[in-house]
Amino acid sequence: MEQLSERLLALQPSATLAMSQRSAELKAQGIDVINLSVGEPDFNTPDHIKEAAKKAIDENWTLYSPVPGYMSLRQAIVAKLKRENGLDYKPTEILVSNGAKQSVCNVLMALVSKGDEVIIPAPYWVSYPQMVLLAEGTPVSVEAKIEADFKITPAQLEAAITPRTRAIILCSPSNPTGSVYTRAELEALKDVLLKYPRVMVIADEIYEHINYIGEHASMASFPDIKDRCVIINGVSKAYAMTGWRIGFMAAAEWVVKGCNKLQGQYTSGPASMSQKAAEAAWNGPQECVEEMRVAFQRRKDLIVRLCREVPGLEVNDPAGAFYLFPKCSSYFGKKDGERTINTSTDLAMYLLDVAHVATVGGDDFGAPECFRMSYATSDENIVEAIRRIKEALARLK
Ligand code: PMP
Ligand code: GLU
């Protein structure tokens, strides 16, 4: 009998990956699609990291690793957290996983019991609420509007906390908005959280290095809440290593132990040669990270300037990550011939079909008035994509 479980029937597919796949299918048909949908650096993994992986294979780092990752890699992560974040962790407080995606999923599975609430500031990364639902928790969305630079206030946070609240997921720099919480803003949220000891903080810092305002602030840097923080990070974005699948969590030992048990039954340690590559990334020269950051900042300035010239789009100036999240609701209700745009997903489909530019509607990000573009692509692609988008939007009456 072809019958999926209730769990899977309730699960939404990832809108970012779905749109990216659609764009790849159109490209395979020979259509010249510019893909601004999926969020991944367009750079190659730096050579010294690739060399380390080749060497690892030749030296037979090709068998199972310990479930939480090789000790040498966990030590490299401990050193990274000290060097870049001023944070003290022990190797036993680190768990390496198959991408930061698995790290987030692990921690939600480990902390959330049936009916527990998890606060997720919206706009949010599409996978968070689905992961909470998989853990049988209840996602509680707290809306931050473009006028507030897509950041929640301490009062909004406090209003959302109930006796069932188990965690909040804070993503800074944010996917999909690019907003970055300053240290002072984080501190104000932390002061609220201190009043509610049951609430854990899942701090997704995967875009840490793609930051245009200088300082990256981590919730774990406040000593009075550090033991309740679970830092999520990895090599995907900073080192252009999305395909290597290495992420980690840094957290109190009891959390890491719990996640270790889960990972031991589910996937084991991540790919051994990828771990060796990640070790080279964190221990090796860091100039590549800054070079990519500078390129992203230049493209951010370009796409913001171009999008501000498109009538009907409202655009924030992101402080990090590589996404722009314009408000597009002024186009709702408008038509191109028979086709009416009622939602941001309609708009994204229209832009794909008519302008051959792949973006992602804001609905699955908890922001139905906006849509997302990843500008991790060449300057030429950005210029041409926005030219096409402007032309296609001008046809909507
Ligand atoms: N968190 C956020 C906010 C992301 O955008 C992504 C994107 N992939 C991830 C986590 C997961 O990253 P990865 O699994 O590639 O390490
Ligand atoms: N995080 C990236 C994005 O949001 C990669 C795709 C995904 O895992 O969702 O596009």
Side-chain angles (χ1 to χ4, degrees), residues 38-40 97-104 124-125 128 131 171-176 204-207 232-237 241-243 245-248 322-323 372:
V38 78
E40 67 174 342
S97 300
N98 188 38
K101 207 169 207 173
Q102 188 183 13
S103 305
V104 179
Y124 43 69
W125 181 37
Y128 295 148
M131 290 174 174
C171 181
S172 175
S174 156
N175 176 4
D204 186 341
E205 303 184 356
I206 191 84
Y207 296 98
I232 306 289
N233 208 331
V235 288
S236 286
K237 315 290 171 171
M241 290 178 70
T242 49
R245 312 307 304 128
I246 296 291
F248 72 85
F322 38 59
Y323 305 106
R372 192 190 80 171

Side-chain angles (χ1 to χ4, degrees), residues 34-49:
I34 301 177
N35 187 3
L36 307 185
S37 64
V38 78
E40 67 174 342
D42 58 322
F43 299 102
N44 293 324
T45 300
D47 284 341
H48 69 279
I49 299 174

Side-chain angles (χ1 to χ4, degrees), residues 67-89:
V67 172
Y70 292 119
M71 177 52 92
S72 57
L73 174 57
R74 283 179 284 146
Q75 278 163 343
I77 294 170
V78 165
K80 172 255 178 283
L81 289 165
K82 183 71 185 168
R83 180 179 71 237
E84 296 181 346
N85 311 101
L87 295 172
D88 289 306
Y89 282 94

Side-chain angles (χ1 to χ4, degrees), residues 203-351:
D204 186 341
E205 303 184 356
I206 191 84
Y207 296 98
E208 168 184 11
H209 288 294
I210 308 169
N211 177 321
Y212 315 128
I213 57 167
E215 190 203 25
H216 170 75
S218 177
M219 190 61 107
S221 65
F222 299 106
D224 44 2
I225 202 159
K226 177 172 179 250
D227 62 338
R228 285 204 266 144
C229 290
V230 179
I231 295 180
I232 306 289
N233 208 331
V235 288
S236 286
K237 315 290 171 171
Y239 300 96
M241 290 178 70
T242 49
W244 299 80
R245 312 307 304 128
I246 296 291
F248 72 85
M249 74 170 66
E253 212 167 283
W254 65 271
V255 178
V256 166
K257 267 192 179 160
C259 292
N260 190 48
K261 179 166 72 167
L262 176 66
Q263 189 161 296
Q265 290 290 24
Y266 225 74
T267 57
S268 304
S272 49
M273 58 292 283
S274 290
Q275 292 192 48
K276 285 293 172 192
E279 198 177 311
W282 277 308
N283 284 344
Q286 301 298 309
E287 290 78 12
C288 54
V289 178
E290 177 60 9
E291 279 164 24
M292 290 189 264
R293 191 200 67 80
V294 167
F296 288 133
Q297 183 156 9
R298 189 188 64 243
R299 294 157 175 189
K300 186 269 292 178
D301 290 342
L302 176 66
I303 198 168
V304 167
R305 180 169 61 74
L306 293 174
C307 281
R308 287 202 166 139
E309 291 166 6
V310 179
L313 293 187
E314 197 179 323
V315 177
N316 66 322
D317 190 359
F322 38 59
Y323 305 106
L324 192 65
F325 203 58
K327 187 168 167 184
C328 57
S329 48
S330 66
Y331 286 100
F332 294 175
K334 294 198 174 175
K335 287 184 182 176
D336 178 5
E338 288 302 290
R339 189 166 180 165
T340 308
I341 306 300
N342 287 318
T343 66
S344 60
T345 301
D346 289 350
L347 190 85
M349 293 317 291
Y350 173 74
L351 293 177

